[in-house]
Amino acid sequence: MRRAIYPGSFDPVTNGHLDIIERGCKLFDEIIIAILINPEKRPFFTIEDRREILEEVLLGINRSTCTLRVDAFEGLLVHYAVAQKADAIVRGIRAISDYEYELQMALMNRRLEPSIETVFMMPAEKYSYVSSRLVKEVFQLGGRLSGLVPPLVEERMKQKMENG
Ligand SMILES: Nc1ncnc2c1ncn2[C@@H]1O[C@H](COP(=O)(O)OP(=O)(O)O)[C@@H](O)[C@H]1O
Ligand SMILES: [Mg+2]
């Protein structure tokens, strides 16, 4: 039984994230998609919104025998990973620009908790330029998001803009 944590902000979840989760499902029996609670960031979606959206879009994923769970956590990722009895942390690498930061985090996490491995996965090329930050920018400027995020995410973003 191999369990991985896929941590992130998921604000909002993009097709790039889903691509990584689908690939991760080929390697792990269970993946916990763990939303980082970061009091310092001003997010677009609340943790509860993000959890709800993730749970819904994950229903559409090609997961074979892999179990997917959504959770939220605060504090050190490695403490959370140990508490969840995880074997690995999954992170996505889009380009060289992600690598430096991700390497630093992976090595720090290894120092803090040598029993947990970090696994880097590459998304399909078509998602290699997709980030939650850019999705929010394009959305706020009125651009089309189809193909970049699940339709539910675009709907929920529109609702949020209308209802404040
Ligand atoms: N389009 C994408 N393709 C592959 N990996 C991605 C993509 N977007 C984000 N990721 C990866 O998913 C993880 C979570 O990303 P994100 O939600 O932005 O949270 P964080 O705040 O930790 O960067 C990170 O490892 C990030 O590099
Ligand atoms: Mg990011």
Side-chain angles (χ1 to χ4, degrees), residues 17-58:
H17 291 127
L18 297 178
D19 182 273
I20 295 294
I21 294 167
E22 238 172 51
R23 289 172 199 280
C25 275
K26 297 183 198 160
L27 302 181
F28 296 100
D29 302 299
E30 179 172 299
I31 302 179
I32 303 174
I33 294 92
I35 308 167
L36 171 67
I37 302 170
N38 183 352
E40 264 146 51
K41 275 196 191 169
R42 261 189 53 86
F44 185 88
F45 283 118
T46 64
I47 297 283
E48 274 324 300
D49 283 345
R50 279 180 265 166
R51 187 197 281 270
E52 218 178 273
I53 294 168
L54 269 165
E55 271 165 4
E56 176 111 19
V57 300
L58 288 177

Side-chain angles (χ1 to χ4, degrees), residues 9 41 91 94:
S9 309
K41 275 196 191 169
R91 295 287 288 176
R94 287 162 289 199

